[in-house]
Amino acid sequence: MKSDSKQSANTLGDWAKIALEKHFQKTIQYEEDVLSDRDPEALHQMRVGMRRLRSAAKGFAPALDLPKAARHSQIGKISRSLGSLRDLDVLLETLETDYDQDALPEVEKEAFKRAIILLKSERNQAFDAVKETLNSEIYFSFKNSLADWLNNPTYGEMALLPIQDILPDLLLPEVSDLFLHPGWLLGIKTKKGKVKIQNLTETEVEELFANQGETLHDLRKQVKRVRYQMSLFKKFYGEAYSEYVEDLQEIQEVLGKMQDSVVLAETLARVLGCNLQETLPTLAEKLLENRYLSWLEWQPLHQKYLKPEIRDQFRLELLYPYSSSKSKKAPKKKKKD
C-alpha cells in the first residue's frame, strides 16, 4: 500500500503515512537551528512537530506497525526535553516583554533582575540537555527508524480499511475522553440535573487553581490532542467541523494563558526561594489579575461546551465524513448559542 499524495490516499494506512511524513519532515527541518540556538522560534516549531508526530503515531496506532524506536512513547521522551527548554524560553520572554521591571517599586527591582539571571542559568542547563538528547542514540535511532519505515512502510490489517468508513471510530473515542474530562466540572454547580457556571471572584478562582489547577492543565492537553487529530481530516468534513477545530484552538489558548500564569508564579517563587507575595507583591498581583481575566475569557467557551445540544452536534458531525472527491458540502450545524 503506497501513496504519494492526498489525492490518491484512500485508506487509513495511506493517511497514517501522510500524517507521519508531514510531521516528521517538519520536525527534522528545524534540528540544525535548534542545535545552533539561533532562533527560539525554531525550537517552538520543532517541539510542535514532535507533539503532532506523537499524536499521529498514537492516533493511527491501530493501522501501524512502527519500529519500537519510532513509537509514540519514544517520541514523547524526546519531546519532553525540547519542552523543558521551550517552557523556559516562554517564561523569560513573558517576563521581559509583558512585565515592565521599570514600573516595579525599587525594592522589587533587584529581586526581579535576580530571577531573570537565575532563569537564564537554568535555560543554559536545559539547552545543554537538548543538545545531549539530539546527539543521543535514542534520537538517532528514532530518526533513522522512522525514515526507514517511511521508505518501506509496514501496516496492520486495519490499515486497509477505507478512511471514510473508520474516521468516526478513530475520532469519537478522543472526543468522548475530552467531554468526560473532570476539568469541565471546575467552577460549575448542578441543581436539579441542570448545570450552571458559577460567577467566581478573583479570590475563589485563585483557590480553585491552588487546589485543582493541574486538572485544568490536563484538560488543555486533552483539547490539544483532539485538535491535532481532527486537524488531519478537515477535507473529509464541512464548515461546521472546521469551526469545532477553531473552537478547540481557542480553548487551548485561553487555558494555556491561565497555566502560563500559574507556572510563572511557581517558577519565580522556586528560583528566588521566597514567598512571591512578600518579595514581588506588585508582580504577584499582576499575575493574579491576568489569571482572573483569562478565567473570565474561558467562561463563554466553558458554557458553550457544557450544553448537551452542542456536544450532540459535535458528535453527529464526526459520524458523517464524506469523500473529498465529492463536490457536495456537509450540512452546517445550527446556531443555538
Side-chain angles (χ1 to χ4, degrees):
M1 178 183 357
K2 292 185 179 181
S3 174
D4 297 323
S5 70
K6 291 184 179 181
Q7 283 68 33
S8 59
N10 298 308
T11 67
L12 184 62
D14 290 334
W15 280 88
K17 183 185 176 186
I18 286 171
L20 291 175
E21 189 157 31
K22 174 185 176 182
H23 300 315
F24 179 62
Q25 294 302 328
K26 177 175 181 176
T27 295
I28 62 175
Q29 81 177 75
Y30 292 103
E31 182 183 310
E32 183 179 338
D33 284 343
V34 169
L35 284 170
S36 64
D37 205 18
R38 285 195 291 259
D39 183 3
E41 182 62 19
L43 172 66
H44 172 59
Q45 292 300 329
M46 187 174 186
R47 184 194 189 189
V48 169
M50 290 295 293
R51 283 179 161 181
R52 287 181 177 258
L53 185 63
R54 181 176 183 269
S55 180
K58 186 176 181 181
F60 284 109
L64 296 171
D65 180 24
L66 288 173
K68 185 177 180 180
R71 292 175 189 168
H72 66 86
S73 57
Q74 292 297 100
I75 298 171
K77 292 177 183 178
I78 300 165
S79 183
R80 280 190 288 275
S81 176
L82 297 173
S84 297
L85 179 58
R86 174 60 184 169
D87 289 345
L88 284 166
D89 279 347
V90 171
L91 290 177
L92 282 164
E93 182 181 4
T94 300
L95 280 174
E96 293 176 331
T97 60
D98 294 352
Y99 299 94
D100 182 9
Q101 64 174 303
D102 292 333
L104 294 174
E106 287 297 326
V107 69
E108 296 184 43
K109 285 182 181 178
E110 286 304 314
F112 186 92
K113 291 176 183 177
R114 186 158 61 91
I116 295 289
I117 292 170
L118 292 169
L119 285 172
K120 285 183 176 179
S121 176
E122 285 196 5
R123 199 262 178 205
N124 290 337
Q125 295 174 28
F127 177 65
D128 288 341
V130 165
K131 283 198 298 185
E132 184 177 341
T133 295
L134 296 186
N135 286 297
S136 69
E137 184 59 36
I138 289 177
Y139 182 71
F140 289 137
S141 182
F142 147 74
K143 192 163 64 168
N144 293 334
S145 295
L146 188 51
D148 289 343
W149 185 90
L150 289 168
N151 287 327
N152 187 26
T154 55
Y155 303 94
E157 290 183 2
M158 197 168 288
L160 296 170
L161 294 175
I163 185 69
Q164 290 92 342
D165 293 351
I166 203 168
L167 264 182
D169 298 316
L170 195 68
L171 296 172
L172 281 167
E174 293 284 349
V175 172
S176 293
D177 285 345
L178 172 60
F179 286 160
L180 289 170
H181 196 283
W184 295 104
L185 303 178
L186 301 184
I188 71 166
K189 61 181 179 180
T190 57
K191 187 175 182 180
K192 295 181 179 180
K194 293 187 176 181
V195 175
K196 184 179 180 181
I197 297 284
Q198 293 179 289
N199 294 319
L200 300 182
T201 65
E202 185 173 320
T203 300
E204 288 171 330
V205 168
E206 188 56 24
E207 290 176 357
L208 183 147
F209 273 100
N211 296 321
Q212 296 175 288
E214 190 58 37
T215 302
L216 270 178
H217 177 48
D218 193 68
L219 173 62
R220 176 177 178 262
K221 290 193 288 186
Q222 181 62 25
V223 167
K224 183 164 51 181
R225 283 191 288 268
V226 175
R227 177 191 156 218
Y228 284 174
Q229 192 75 341
M230 287 181 62
S231 294
L232 295 170
F233 305 113
K234 284 185 179 181
K235 67 176 290 181
F236 293 103
Y237 292 95
E239 181 182 333
Y241 182 94
S242 294
E243 289 175 2
Y244 290 127
V245 175
E246 290 170 5
D247 278 356
L248 291 174
Q249 181 171 0
E250 191 175 351
I251 291 170
Q252 179 186 330
E253 288 173 354
V254 70
L255 292 178
K257 286 193 289 185
M258 286 189 275
Q259 177 64 15
D260 288 347
S261 174
V262 171
V263 171
L264 183 54
E266 291 176 348
T267 302
L268 287 172
R270 176 181 58 79
V271 298
L272 291 172
C274 70
N275 182 314
L276 202 63
Q277 290 283 1
E278 296 176 358
T279 305
L280 285 165
T282 306
L283 181 59
E285 186 58 35
K286 185 64 176 177
L287 287 169
L288 288 174
E289 178 186 334
N290 288 347
R291 196 175 310 149
Y292 186 63
L293 290 174
S294 296
W295 174 263
L296 295 178
E297 189 180 349
W298 157 236
Q299 297 315 289
L301 290 162
H302 190 189
Q303 180 83 59
K304 177 178 180 178
Y305 281 93
L306 283 174
K307 292 179 180 179
E309 61 269 28
I310 295 296
R311 293 186 172 205
D312 284 346
Q313 291 167 9
F314 198 129
R315 287 186 287 259
L316 283 170
E317 182 67 21
L318 302 182
L319 285 175
Y320 302 107
Y322 59 95
S323 172
S324 60
S325 63
K326 297 179 181 179
S327 59
K328 71 175 184 177
K329 295 289 185 180
K332 293 184 180 181
K333 65 181 180 182
K334 295 179 181 179
K335 299 285 187 178
K336 291 190 178 183
D337 63 322

